[in-house]
Amino acid sequence: MANPEPQFHILAVDDSSIDRKLIERLLKTCSFKVTAVESGSKALEFLGWNQDQTKTTNSHVEVNLVITDYCMPEMSGYDLLKKLKESSCLRDIPVVIMSSENVPSRVNRCLEEGAKEFLLKPVRIADVNKLMPHIIKSKRQKAGPPPVQPDGIEELRSNFINNKKRKSSSDEPDRVTRARFDGLTVQS
């Protein structure tokens, strides 16, 4: 029986082929769709980033999170983070930086620039679990806000029904509730 298609897509960026394979395998065991590339420029190319930053050329690709190594030749993970956050089309994609070096100034710099997490290598399952809130939030932002009931009608209806149930189970009249809902009619 075939597995259903993964719901979330992660772009993994690392210049080390071994580290790239490890993070790719770890993410896939957690049922993520993973695209792995070897450089920041390849990541930008995959995302369809162009120099004018006004649009992307690869808009059919939906990436829910970018996880990138900090130390890479040509373009560091920090530089990739800055380019993504400067782009009007890509700035909402959560970015997670990973590094084998725990340098507090580097961690702070990345978090101040907009990284959602800074993970120490080797990345573990517990670290992957930290990614879920960022991925879900990203997915919700793209879907838009949930519909809101006008003027809290559903809350009033729920309170009315709950108070009615409470009243029927008790012999004492609920004067406060009765006064608050006096004249209220429920329409179906």
Side-chain angles (χ1 to χ4, degrees), residues 42-75:
K42 291 280 187 189
L44 291 173
E45 182 181 318
F46 178 79
L47 292 168
W49 183 86
N50 60 18
Q51 292 298 331
D52 67 9
Q53 301 174 13
T54 57
K55 61 181 179 171
T56 57
T57 56
N58 202 5
S59 60
H60 68 278
V61 174
E62 182 182 349
V63 172
N64 302 106
L65 184 126
V66 173
I67 185 166
T68 181
D69 184 26
Y70 182 87
C71 292
M72 296 186 292
E74 296 175 34
M75 181 186 298

mmCIF file of all heavy atoms in Angstrom, residues 42-75:
data_model
loop_
_atom_site.group_PDB
_atom_site.id
_atom_site.type_symbol
_atom_site.label_atom_id
_atom_site.label_comp_id
_atom_site.label_asym_id
_atom_site.label_seq_id
_atom_site.Cartn_x
_atom_site.Cartn_y
_atom_site.Cartn_z
ATOM 1 N N LYS A 42 21.854 27.571 -5.108
ATOM 2 C CA LYS A 42 20.953 26.522 -5.628
ATOM 3 C C LYS A 42 19.591 26.595 -4.924
ATOM 4 O O LYS A 42 18.555 26.359 -5.545
ATOM 5 C CB LYS A 42 21.554 25.134 -5.438
ATOM 6 C CG LYS A 42 22.756 24.864 -6.293
ATOM 7 C CD LYS A 42 22.352 24.503 -7.687
ATOM 8 C CE LYS A 42 23.592 24.076 -8.461
ATOM 9 N NZ LYS A 42 23.325 23.912 -9.872
ATOM 10 N N ALA A 43 19.601 26.925 -3.641
ATOM 11 C CA ALA A 43 18.343 27.067 -2.897
ATOM 12 C C ALA A 43 17.521 28.217 -3.469
ATOM 13 O O ALA A 43 16.317 28.075 -3.706
ATOM 14 C CB ALA A 43 18.622 27.298 -1.414
ATOM 15 N N LEU A 44 18.182 29.348 -3.704
ATOM 16 C CA LEU A 44 17.478 30.499 -4.281
ATOM 17 C C LEU A 44 16.950 30.177 -5.676
ATOM 18 O O LEU A 44 15.829 30.556 -6.030
ATOM 19 C CB LEU A 44 18.400 31.721 -4.324
ATOM 20 C CG LEU A 44 18.762 32.318 -2.967
ATOM 21 C CD1 LEU A 44 19.813 33.415 -3.135
ATOM 22 C CD2 LEU A 44 17.536 32.859 -2.256
ATOM 23 N N GLU A 45 17.746 29.455 -6.446
ATOM 24 C CA GLU A 45 17.324 29.055 -7.788
ATOM 25 C C GLU A 45 16.094 28.146 -7.697
ATOM 26 O O GLU A 45 15.126 28.323 -8.451
ATOM 27 C CB GLU A 45 18.472 28.324 -8.481
ATOM 28 C CG GLU A 45 18.198 27.892 -9.898
ATOM 29 C CD GLU A 45 19.389 27.141 -10.494
ATOM 30 O OE1 GLU A 45 20.541 27.562 -10.292
ATOM 31 O OE2 GLU A 45 19.142 26.111 -11.156
ATOM 32 N N PHE A 46 16.113 27.188 -6.782
ATOM 33 C CA PHE A 46 14.977 26.282 -6.614
ATOM 34 C C PHE A 46 13.717 27.057 -6.222
ATOM 35 O O PHE A 46 12.623 26.754 -6.691
ATOM 36 C CB PHE A 46 15.288 25.220 -5.555
ATOM 37 C CG PHE A 46 14.142 24.278 -5.308
ATOM 38 C CD1 PHE A 46 13.898 23.227 -6.182
ATOM 39 C CD2 PHE A 46 13.299 24.448 -4.223
ATOM 40 C CE1 PHE A 46 12.826 22.364 -5.973
ATOM 41 C CE2 PHE A 46 12.231 23.590 -4.004
ATOM 42 C CZ PHE A 46 11.997 22.546 -4.886
ATOM 43 N N LEU A 47 13.879 28.058 -5.368
ATOM 44 C CA LEU A 47 12.740 28.857 -4.912
ATOM 45 C C LEU A 47 12.271 29.861 -5.961
ATOM 46 O O LEU A 47 11.217 30.482 -5.800
ATOM 47 C CB LEU A 47 13.090 29.586 -3.615
ATOM 48 C CG LEU A 47 13.292 28.683 -2.406
ATOM 49 C CD1 LEU A 47 13.915 29.466 -1.260
ATOM 50 C CD2 LEU A 47 11.969 28.062 -1.968
ATOM 51 N N GLY A 48 13.063 30.012 -7.044
ATOM 52 C CA GLY A 48 12.683 30.928 -8.113
ATOM 53 C C GLY A 48 13.005 32.372 -7.826
ATOM 54 O O GLY A 48 12.455 33.278 -8.445
ATOM 55 N N TRP A 49 13.924 32.616 -6.898
ATOM 56 C CA TRP A 49 14.300 33.982 -6.540
ATOM 57 C C TRP A 49 15.004 34.635 -7.707
ATOM 58 O O TRP A 49 15.827 34.025 -8.378
ATOM 59 C CB TRP A 49 15.217 33.935 -5.322
ATOM 60 C CG TRP A 49 15.622 35.272 -4.785
ATOM 61 C CD1 TRP A 49 14.928 36.028 -3.889
ATOM 62 C CD2 TRP A 49 16.819 35.999 -5.063
ATOM 63 N NE1 TRP A 49 15.617 37.165 -3.593
ATOM 64 C CE2 TRP A 49 16.796 37.182 -4.316
ATOM 65 C CE3 TRP A 49 17.917 35.764 -5.880
ATOM 66 C CZ2 TRP A 49 17.798 38.128 -4.345
ATOM 67 C CZ3 TRP A 49 18.930 36.704 -5.920
ATOM 68 C CH2 TRP A 49 18.864 37.868 -5.161
ATOM 69 N N ASN A 50 14.684 35.917 -7.947
ATOM 70 C CA ASN A 50 15.420 36.655 -8.966
ATOM 71 C C ASN A 50 15.929 37.962 -8.373
ATOM 72 O O ASN A 50 15.526 38.362 -7.282
ATOM 73 C CB ASN A 50 14.564 36.880 -10.226
ATOM 74 C CG ASN A 50 13.300 37.655 -9.946
ATOM 75 O OD1 ASN A 50 13.169 38.323 -8.927
ATOM 76 N ND2 ASN A 50 12.352 37.584 -10.848
ATOM 77 N N GLN A 51 16.809 38.614 -9.081
ATOM 78 C CA GLN A 51 17.513 39.779 -8.538
ATOM 79 C C GLN A 51 16.597 40.948 -8.167
ATOM 80 O O GLN A 51 16.875 41.672 -7.226
ATOM 81 C CB GLN A 51 18.575 40.264 -9.531
ATOM 82 C CG GLN A 51 19.718 39.306 -9.714
ATOM 83 C CD GLN A 51 20.508 39.055 -8.441
ATOM 84 O OE1 GLN A 51 20.600 39.897 -7.571
ATOM 85 N NE2 GLN A 51 21.050 37.859 -8.313
ATOM 86 N N ASP A 52 15.491 41.155 -8.889
ATOM 87 C CA ASP A 52 14.651 42.317 -8.561
ATOM 88 C C ASP A 52 13.747 42.054 -7.357
ATOM 89 O O ASP A 52 13.133 42.987 -6.839
ATOM 90 C CB ASP A 52 13.832 42.778 -9.771
ATOM 91 C CG ASP A 52 12.773 41.781 -10.219
ATOM 92 O OD1 ASP A 52 12.535 40.789 -9.512
ATOM 93 O OD2 ASP A 52 12.176 42.010 -11.281
ATOM 94 N N GLN A 53 13.679 40.808 -6.885
ATOM 95 C CA GLN A 53 12.966 40.426 -5.669
ATOM 96 C C GLN A 53 11.468 40.732 -5.714
ATOM 97 O O GLN A 53 10.795 40.700 -4.703
ATOM 98 C CB GLN A 53 13.570 41.115 -4.439
ATOM 99 C CG GLN A 53 15.016 40.798 -4.220
ATOM 100 C CD GLN A 53 15.605 41.599 -3.088
ATOM 101 O OE1 GLN A 53 14.907 42.213 -2.312
ATOM 102 N NE2 GLN A 53 16.911 41.595 -2.994
ATOM 103 N N THR A 54 10.936 41.066 -6.874
ATOM 104 C CA THR A 54 9.521 41.397 -6.940
ATOM 105 C C THR A 54 8.658 40.174 -7.195
ATOM 106 O O THR A 54 7.477 40.196 -6.923
ATOM 107 C CB THR A 54 9.250 42.429 -8.048
ATOM 108 O OG1 THR A 54 9.734 41.905 -9.294
ATOM 109 C CG2 THR A 54 9.935 43.748 -7.736
ATOM 110 N N LYS A 55 9.238 39.128 -7.745
ATOM 111 C CA LYS A 55 8.461 37.919 -7.999
ATOM 112 C C LYS A 55 9.395 36.727 -8.026
ATOM 113 O O LYS A 55 10.614 36.866 -8.104
ATOM 114 C CB LYS A 55 7.701 38.024 -9.318
ATOM 115 C CG LYS A 55 8.609 38.201 -10.519
ATOM 116 C CD LYS A 55 7.826 38.317 -11.787
ATOM 117 C CE LYS A 55 8.811 38.526 -12.934
ATOM 118 N NZ LYS A 55 8.213 38.453 -14.228
ATOM 119 N N THR A 56 8.806 35.565 -7.963
ATOM 120 C CA THR A 56 9.604 34.358 -8.115
ATOM 121 C C THR A 56 9.231 33.726 -9.435
ATOM 122 O O THR A 56 8.106 33.851 -9.905
ATOM 123 C CB THR A 56 9.346 33.362 -6.966
ATOM 124 O OG1 THR A 56 7.958 33.057 -6.930
ATOM 125 C CG2 THR A 56 9.795 33.926 -5.634
ATOM 126 N N THR A 57 10.189 33.030 -10.036
ATOM 127 C CA THR A 57 9.937 32.405 -11.328
ATOM 128 C C THR A 57 9.470 30.970 -11.187
ATOM 129 O O THR A 57 9.027 30.367 -12.138
ATOM 130 C CB THR A 57 11.216 32.425 -12.196
ATOM 131 O OG1 THR A 57 12.260 31.772 -11.458
ATOM 132 C CG2 THR A 57 11.627 33.843 -12.528
ATOM 133 N N ASN A 58 9.546 30.416 -9.980
ATOM 134 C CA ASN A 58 9.180 29.024 -9.728
ATOM 135 C C ASN A 58 8.028 28.977 -8.732
ATOM 136 O O ASN A 58 8.092 28.300 -7.727
ATOM 137 C CB ASN A 58 10.397 28.271 -9.187
ATOM 138 C CG ASN A 58 10.295 26.783 -9.402
ATOM 139 O OD1 ASN A 58 9.368 26.310 -10.028
ATOM 140 N ND2 ASN A 58 11.246 26.048 -8.872
ATOM 141 N N SER A 59 6.956 29.719 -9.023
ATOM 142 C CA SER A 59 5.885 29.922 -8.047
ATOM 143 C C SER A 59 5.057 28.667 -7.771
ATOM 144 O O SER A 59 4.319 28.635 -6.804
ATOM 145 C CB SER A 59 4.970 31.054 -8.514
ATOM 146 O OG SER A 59 4.410 30.723 -9.763
ATOM 147 N N HIS A 60 5.177 27.631 -8.607
ATOM 148 C CA HIS A 60 4.394 26.416 -8.363
ATOM 149 C C HIS A 60 4.979 25.564 -7.237
ATOM 150 O O HIS A 60 4.337 24.661 -6.752
ATOM 151 C CB HIS A 60 4.254 25.594 -9.653
ATOM 152 C CG HIS A 60 5.554 24.988 -10.107
ATOM 153 N ND1 HIS A 60 6.483 25.707 -10.820
ATOM 154 C CD2 HIS A 60 6.074 23.755 -9.926
ATOM 155 C CE1 HIS A 60 7.520 24.922 -11.066
ATOM 156 N NE2 HIS A 60 7.307 23.739 -10.539
ATOM 157 N N VAL A 61 6.206 25.869 -6.815
ATOM 158 C CA VAL A 61 6.848 25.114 -5.746
ATOM 159 C C VAL A 61 6.447 25.721 -4.409
ATOM 160 O O VAL A 61 6.644 26.914 -4.178
ATOM 161 C CB VAL A 61 8.384 25.137 -5.888
ATOM 162 C CG1 VAL A 61 9.049 24.477 -4.700
ATOM 163 C CG2 VAL A 61 8.810 24.462 -7.179
ATOM 164 N N GLU A 62 5.870 24.899 -3.544
ATOM 165 C CA GLU A 62 5.527 25.369 -2.205
ATOM 166 C C GLU A 62 6.496 24.754 -1.212
ATOM 167 O O GLU A 62 6.553 23.542 -1.062
ATOM 168 C CB GLU A 62 4.101 24.984 -1.831
ATOM 169 C CG GLU A 62 3.720 25.505 -0.464
ATOM 170 C CD GLU A 62 2.320 25.110 -0.038
ATOM 171 O OE1 GLU A 62 1.556 24.608 -0.865
ATOM 172 O OE2 GLU A 62 2.007 25.305 1.143
ATOM 173 N N VAL A 63 7.275 25.589 -0.567
ATOM 174 C CA VAL A 63 8.209 25.156 0.452
ATOM 175 C C VAL A 63 7.719 25.706 1.780
ATOM 176 O O VAL A 63 7.457 26.900 1.905
ATOM 177 C CB VAL A 63 9.641 25.654 0.144
ATOM 178 C CG1 VAL A 63 10.586 25.375 1.297
ATOM 179 C CG2 VAL A 63 10.159 24.992 -1.130
ATOM 180 N N ASN A 64 7.579 24.825 2.770
ATOM 181 C CA ASN A 64 7.070 25.234 4.072
ATOM 182 C C ASN A 64 8.160 25.623 5.053
ATOM 183 O O ASN A 64 7.866 26.277 6.068
ATOM 184 C CB ASN A 64 6.219 24.118 4.681
ATOM 185 C CG ASN A 64 5.082 23.742 3.780
ATOM 186 O OD1 ASN A 64 5.109 22.694 3.148
ATOM 187 N ND2 ASN A 64 4.083 24.595 3.679
ATOM 188 N N LEU A 65 9.410 25.242 4.765
ATOM 189 C CA LEU A 65 10.511 25.584 5.659
ATOM 190 C C LEU A 65 11.830 25.374 4.928
ATOM 191 O O LEU A 65 11.945 24.446 4.114
ATOM 192 C CB LEU A 65 10.468 24.694 6.909
ATOM 193 C CG LEU A 65 11.503 25.017 7.980
ATOM 194 C CD1 LEU A 65 10.803 25.237 9.320
ATOM 195 C CD2 LEU A 65 12.494 23.895 8.132
ATOM 196 N N VAL A 66 12.802 26.234 5.214
ATOM 197 C CA VAL A 66 14.160 26.063 4.707
ATOM 198 C C VAL A 66 15.042 25.779 5.913
ATOM 199 O O VAL A 66 15.010 26.521 6.899
ATOM 200 C CB VAL A 66 14.660 27.333 3.967
ATOM 201 C CG1 VAL A 66 16.127 27.197 3.598
ATOM 202 C CG2 VAL A 66 13.811 27.609 2.737
ATOM 203 N N ILE A 67 15.811 24.695 5.853
ATOM 204 C CA ILE A 67 16.794 24.387 6.889
ATOM 205 C C ILE A 67 18.161 24.414 6.218
ATOM 206 O O ILE A 67 18.371 23.731 5.210
ATOM 207 C CB ILE A 67 16.504 23.048 7.605
ATOM 208 C CG1 ILE A 67 17.478 22.839 8.755
ATOM 209 C CG2 ILE A 67 16.465 21.878 6.656
ATOM 210 C CD1 ILE A 67 17.079 21.733 9.722
ATOM 211 N N THR A 68 19.053 25.253 6.733
ATOM 212 C CA THR A 68 20.329 25.461 6.056
ATOM 213 C C THR A 68 21.499 25.422 7.026
ATOM 214 O O THR A 68 21.384 25.838 8.178
ATOM 215 C CB THR A 68 20.333 26.808 5.288
ATOM 216 O OG1 THR A 68 21.586 26.975 4.625
ATOM 217 C CG2 THR A 68 20.079 27.995 6.203
ATOM 218 N N ASP A 69 22.617 24.916 6.522
ATOM 219 C CA ASP A 69 23.864 24.946 7.271
ATOM 220 C C ASP A 69 24.335 26.393 7.336
ATOM 221 O O ASP A 69 24.081 27.189 6.426
ATOM 222 C CB ASP A 69 24.899 24.075 6.548
ATOM 223 C CG ASP A 69 26.209 23.951 7.305
ATOM 224 O OD1 ASP A 69 26.192 24.091 8.549
ATOM 225 O OD2 ASP A 69 27.231 23.706 6.667
ATOM 226 N N TYR A 70 25.023 26.736 8.417
ATOM 227 C CA TYR A 70 25.539 28.098 8.556
ATOM 228 C C TYR A 70 26.803 28.296 7.715
ATOM 229 O O TYR A 70 26.904 29.260 6.964
ATOM 230 C CB TYR A 70 25.838 28.418 10.030
ATOM 231 C CG TYR A 70 26.322 29.829 10.213
ATOM 232 C CD1 TYR A 70 25.411 30.862 10.393
ATOM 233 C CD2 TYR A 70 27.676 30.135 10.172
ATOM 234 C CE1 TYR A 70 25.852 32.177 10.533
ATOM 235 C CE2 TYR A 70 28.122 31.439 10.317
ATOM 236 C CZ TYR A 70 27.207 32.462 10.498
ATOM 237 O OH TYR A 70 27.635 33.756 10.630
ATOM 238 N N CYS A 71 27.765 27.393 7.843
ATOM 239 C CA CYS A 71 29.059 27.538 7.167
ATOM 240 C C CYS A 71 29.051 26.845 5.812
ATOM 241 O O CYS A 71 29.104 25.619 5.733
ATOM 242 C CB CYS A 71 30.183 26.950 8.029
ATOM 243 S SG CYS A 71 30.489 27.871 9.526
ATOM 244 N N MET A 72 28.980 27.633 4.751
ATOM 245 C CA MET A 72 29.049 27.108 3.394
ATOM 246 C C MET A 72 29.875 28.070 2.559
ATOM 247 O O MET A 72 29.868 29.276 2.821
ATOM 248 C CB MET A 72 27.646 26.966 2.787
ATOM 249 C CG MET A 72 26.748 25.977 3.484
ATOM 250 S SD MET A 72 25.160 25.725 2.633
ATOM 251 C CE MET A 72 24.364 27.312 2.873
ATOM 252 N N PRO A 73 30.586 27.563 1.542
ATOM 253 C CA PRO A 73 31.343 28.465 0.673
ATOM 254 C C PRO A 73 30.404 29.295 -0.197
ATOM 255 O O PRO A 73 29.228 28.960 -0.340
ATOM 256 C CB PRO A 73 32.192 27.507 -0.173
ATOM 257 C CG PRO A 73 31.485 26.204 -0.111
ATOM 258 C CD PRO A 73 30.742 26.168 1.188
ATOM 259 N N GLU A 74 30.898 30.365 -0.739
ATOM 260 C CA GLU A 74 30.167 31.288 -1.612
ATOM 261 C C GLU A 74 29.088 32.059 -0.857
ATOM 262 O O GLU A 74 29.140 33.261 -0.773
ATOM 263 C CB GLU A 74 29.561 30.568 -2.826
ATOM 264 C CG GLU A 74 30.569 29.964 -3.758
ATOM 265 C CD GLU A 74 29.931 29.177 -4.861
ATOM 266 O OE1 GLU A 74 28.837 29.545 -5.323
ATOM 267 O OE2 GLU A 74 30.537 28.162 -5.257
ATOM 268 N N MET A 75 28.076 31.362 -0.335
ATOM 269 C CA MET A 75 26.983 32.019 0.381
ATOM 270 C C MET A 75 26.722 31.248 1.669
ATOM 271 O O MET A 75 26.366 30.075 1.634
ATOM 272 C CB MET A 75 25.712 32.043 -0.477
ATOM 273 C CG MET A 75 24.537 32.727 0.189
ATOM 274 S SD MET A 75 22.993 32.598 -0.744
ATOM 275 C CE MET A 75 23.398 33.444 -2.245
#
